[in-house]
Structures are given as C-alpha cells and as structure tokens.
Amino acid sequence: MNEPEESLRERLNGETARTPWRNLLRFFASGSVIAVEDGLDLVEVAMRFANDDKIAVAAWLQAGRIGKVSDEQAAAWVEADAELWTVVVKPWLLVQRHKQRPHAYGPPH
C-alpha cells in the first residue's frame, strides 16, 4: 500500500539534508546520483520517484531537468566545494544545488 501523499511529502521533506558534494562522491561513483534542476521542487521530484511515476520522471529526463550527474558537473562541484540539498529515494540519491531550503515545511530535523 502506498503512503498517503501528504505523509510522504512531509517524510521526504524531513529527510532532506544539506550535504557537501565531496561527501557524496562514493554515490556518484556508483552511478546513483540524480541531479535535479533548481527550478524543480526537490521534494516533489522525490515523491514522483517514490511513487514510481514513470510518466513524470520520463518527461523531466527528456527535458533535461533531471539526470545522472555528469563527470563535468561532478568536477565543477568538487572545485566549488559545493553543498547540495539531498534526499534519498532508494536506489537513488537526488541532489539539487539550491540556496534555500527546498520546501517550506520548517527547519531540517
């Protein structure tokens, strides 16, 4: 049974974290890191992954709004000592370069 949407949204939002890119390199090396464009809501994208919404995910992939982190992007983030918002939706680690908290549900836990 699927988790109710609002409950899932709150849980995923609570699981977001600000993480230095250098701490994510082992996940990048395994090919499990998905970059999410700044214009998208990280928690909403995570919800679509969690609910296996193939149509939404495919549309974002096709539009280039999400995708596996490229070697060039990874190198740029290392160079910039970047911090990213992260959330895990197994087997994926979704990341977003964002200056603000990805969703307005309150402070991180």
Side-chain angles (χ1 to χ4, degrees), residues 90-101:
K90 288 183 181 181
W92 305 109
L93 172 61
L94 306 180
V95 300
Q96 185 175 52
R97 183 83 190 255
H98 206 285
K99 293 181 174 126
Q100 301 288 329
R101 181 147 176 83

Side-chain angles (χ1 to χ4, degrees), residues 16-18 42 83-86 94-96 98 100-102:
T16 62
R18 193 108 168 123
L42 180 62
E83 281 198 335
L84 300 123
W85 280 108
T86 63
L94 306 180
V95 300
Q96 185 175 52
H98 206 285
Q100 301 288 329
R101 181 147 176 83

Side-chain angles (χ1 to χ4, degrees), residues 36-100:
V36 176
E37 179 182 89
D38 283 352
L40 292 174
D41 180 320
L42 180 62
V43 173
E44 181 65 27
V45 174
M47 287 180 60
R48 298 302 121 220
F49 271 76
N51 286 326
D52 200 24
D53 185 342
K54 291 175 177 58
I55 294 171
V57 171
W60 288 325
L61 279 167
Q62 186 172 5
R65 300 192 77 190
I66 65 170
K68 286 192 174 182
V69 175
S70 68
D71 291 342
E72 295 78 18
Q73 183 62 70
W77 284 341
V78 166
E79 180 71 24
D81 197 21
E83 281 198 335
L84 300 123
W85 280 108
T86 63
V87 65
V88 174
V89 180
K90 288 183 181 181
W92 305 109
L93 172 61
L94 306 180
V95 300
Q96 185 175 52
R97 183 83 190 255
H98 206 285
K99 293 181 174 126
Q100 301 288 329

